[in-house]
Amino acid sequence: MKMLLFEIKKILSRPLSRFVLLALAAVLVFCTFMTVNDVRYTDSQGVTHTGPGAARQLHDQMSQWSGYVTSDLLARVVTENNRINSTPQALSSDVTENNKAYSLTQGFSDIREYINQAFSGQTDYDYYRIDSVSPQEAGQIYERRISNMEEYLNSSEAGRMSAPQKDFLLSQYKALETPLYYEPAIGWNALLDSAYMPTLIMITVLITGFLVSGIFSGEFQMKSDAILFSSRLGRSRAVLSKIAAGLITTTAVYWAAVLLFSAAVLILLGAGGGGCAIQTGFGYWESFYNITFIQEFLITVLGGYVGTLFIAGASMAVSALSRSTVLAVTVPFILVALPFFIGRIDLLAPVTGLFPDQLLQISAITDDISLVYQVGGIVTGSIPLLFIIYGILFLALMPVLYRIYSRAEIR
């Protein structure tokens, strides 16, 4: 235990370590502020408000439309939308008057999007599509969702997919329990559908990679490796203490950043609606994962943790193998940034879909219907595969790391 505490103290006592932790705290505050202020509410005078107050006002309006999204509810939305479109405010050429009309639609804006997406098709989107849908037609959104997928799977855009992959997607669509139950999930939508959670997780990975990069190489650079390895427990417990210190530091920093961010957003914007299917949230209508917001949140933060552990472990392995802190620091940057550039090559898209950076942005790939893989006779989405691949690689990396450092030669 003394060895372990000593190694953790060494990690955190470096001036640069303290600086990057302060930088992470600043990023945490920034991401929280931006996420909360992304919520907008337009009042009856056409004035737009942001932040927690706007979220409360928006929640009150949306709550009036809570319940199962049945044909009757959808017909009511279309009828109310048509009524608002015929008001003088909506027909005016004045922007402020238009905003007043828009304020009347905010309560059913989520349900409006189901209709828009269902009747726009799988690959097209028309914000005004609801304006040409009749109240009777609106009740067909669930059938349209399935038929849109069938149309997409029969098009050239799905040409790379095998027959089992297409069958899997279609079966997932049909397995969604309908009618969907709707209630406002403003906090969950802001938390999962923005770019700030993936951004925070990625920056946390880079910082944890920096923190653990010198755990092994530092002994060589300070010329203290001879003392360490000549001691009685230098090549056994000391090495294990270093590995444990790296994993504990990584774990503490990751969960502190992610949980503080998540708690702040949900407290300020509300945690209601967490048990609703993610298809009720903006941007997830086409998702083939039949899960709730709470389940998506758990998958997202656990995926980020697995990805963070793997990348930190890889950084420590490079540190032990190369004896260079600089090379070890570059590992997280390469694993996070490289897929961004090569991912633009369409031919490599299936490969980059299984890169470790995907674990850091699960909330952003949950609605990607192209990330379906076939392994033997099993077809699944990329998310389960990512957990399996990098969970196994991380576990395999730990004994390799121990072996590399415990057998290092004194130079």
Side-chain angles (χ1 to χ4, degrees):
M1 182 58 70
K2 290 183 178 179
M3 287 184 183
L4 176 60
L5 293 176
F6 177 69
E7 291 296 336
I8 294 175
K9 183 179 179 180
K10 283 171 61 179
I11 295 172
L12 301 178
S13 62
R14 291 185 299 167
L16 278 177
S17 295
R18 296 173 183 175
F19 173 78
V20 296
L21 287 174
L22 286 173
L24 178 59
V27 171
L28 173 61
V29 172
F30 172 79
C31 288
T32 302
F33 175 81
M34 295 301 294
T35 301
V36 170
N37 278 274
D38 260 0
V39 177
R40 287 174 163 74
Y41 169 77
T42 302
D43 63 25
S44 58
Q45 300 304 310
V47 179
T48 299
H49 306 269
T50 61
R56 287 190 292 271
Q57 295 288 337
L58 195 58
H59 181 273
D60 291 343
Q61 284 203 12
M62 289 180 162
S63 293
Q64 299 174 27
W65 297 87
S66 295
Y68 287 99
V69 186
T70 61
S71 299
D72 290 341
L73 180 62
L74 292 162
R76 282 176 51 207
V77 168
V78 172
T79 301
E80 181 65 7
N81 183 74
N82 291 339
R83 185 192 69 78
I84 294 171
N85 284 343
S86 62
T87 60
Q89 293 91 339
L91 297 173
S92 173
S93 58
D94 184 84
V95 174
T96 301
E97 292 299 308
N98 293 158
N99 286 339
K100 292 179 181 179
Y102 168 74
S103 71
L104 301 174
T105 69
Q106 293 173 111
F108 57 83
S109 58
D110 285 339
I111 302 173
R112 172 195 171 102
E113 287 307 304
Y114 310 158
I115 298 171
N116 283 336
Q117 293 181 85
F119 285 87
S120 293
Q122 193 73 25
T123 55
D124 298 320
Y125 173 76
D126 182 0
Y127 178 80
Y128 299 100
R129 184 66 177 88
I130 188 176
D131 297 342
S132 58
V133 176
S134 70
Q136 294 73 29
E137 290 176 317
Q140 303 171 9
I141 63 168
Y142 303 119
E143 292 81 3
R144 289 291 298 247
R145 182 173 181 268
I146 294 173
S147 64
N148 288 340
M149 173 55 74
E150 290 175 331
E151 183 178 341
Y152 168 77
L153 294 175
N154 291 325
S155 69
S156 59
E157 295 181 60
R160 292 180 181 175
M161 290 187 181
S162 64
Q165 287 174 312
K166 293 179 180 180
D167 291 340
F168 170 79
L169 277 176
L170 195 56
S171 67
Q172 287 293 105
Y173 263 47
K174 291 180 178 179
L176 178 67
E177 291 187 16
T178 57
L180 295 170
Y181 182 80
Y182 170 77
E183 64 177 285
I186 298 170
W188 294 105
N189 269 311
L191 186 65
L192 298 170
D193 195 41
S194 73
Y196 297 110
M197 175 171 270
T199 298
L200 176 65
I201 291 176
M202 288 184 181
I203 291 175
T204 302
V205 167
L206 297 179
I207 287 175
T208 54
F210 174 83
L211 292 175
V212 303
S213 61
I215 292 178
F216 296 97
S217 58
E219 302 292 346
F220 298 113
Q221 293 171 354
M222 296 177 65
K223 306 299 181 183
S224 59
D225 53 312
I227 299 173
L228 175 70
F229 291 134
S230 61
S231 62
R232 185 167 65 89
L233 301 176
R235 292 185 181 272
S236 55
R237 291 186 185 178
V239 177
L240 290 175
S241 295
K242 287 180 176 293
I243 295 174
L247 298 182
I248 290 172
T249 301
T250 297
T251 298
V253 172
Y254 174 82
W255 285 111
V258 169
L259 294 181
L260 284 173
F261 171 71
S262 303
V265 171
L266 293 176
I267 289 172
L268 292 172
L269 299 182
C276 294
I278 61 172
Q279 284 78 8
T280 62
F282 183 78
Y284 292 108
W285 176 255
E286 296 179 353
S287 176
F288 61 88
Y289 292 100
N290 299 326
I291 55 178
T292 64
F293 286 112
I294 292 177
Q295 289 170 333
E296 184 189 12
F297 170 74
L298 293 175
I299 292 170
T300 296
V301 296
L302 288 174
Y305 181 53
V306 171
T308 301
L309 284 179
F310 170 74
I311 293 174
S315 180
M316 288 191 288
V318 170
S319 174
L321 190 62
S322 67
R323 307 189 179 196
S324 169
T325 302
V326 175
L327 285 178
V329 168
T330 63
V331 172
F333 285 94
I334 293 173
L335 293 178
V336 171
L338 183 61
F340 174 78
F341 296 101
I342 65 176
R344 297 183 179 184
I345 305 173
D346 291 339
L347 190 63
L348 297 178
V351 178
T352 56
L354 293 176
F355 275 25
D357 70 301
Q358 298 291 290
L359 277 169
L360 313 180
Q361 50 183 333
I362 285 180
S363 62
I365 65 172
T366 310
D367 62 334
D368 193 337
I369 60 175
S370 67
L371 297 177
V372 177
Y373 296 84
Q374 182 174 356
V375 182
I378 300 175
V379 180
T380 183
S382 63
I383 295 176
L385 281 179
L386 289 167
F387 273 93
I388 293 171
I389 292 170
Y390 293 101
I392 292 174
L393 287 177
F394 167 72
L395 293 176
L397 189 60
M398 291 302 98
V400 172
L401 173 59
Y402 176 82
R403 185 181 179 87
I404 290 173
Y405 197 66
S406 63
R407 296 196 175 189
E409 294 182 2
I410 301 173
R411 298 177 184 175

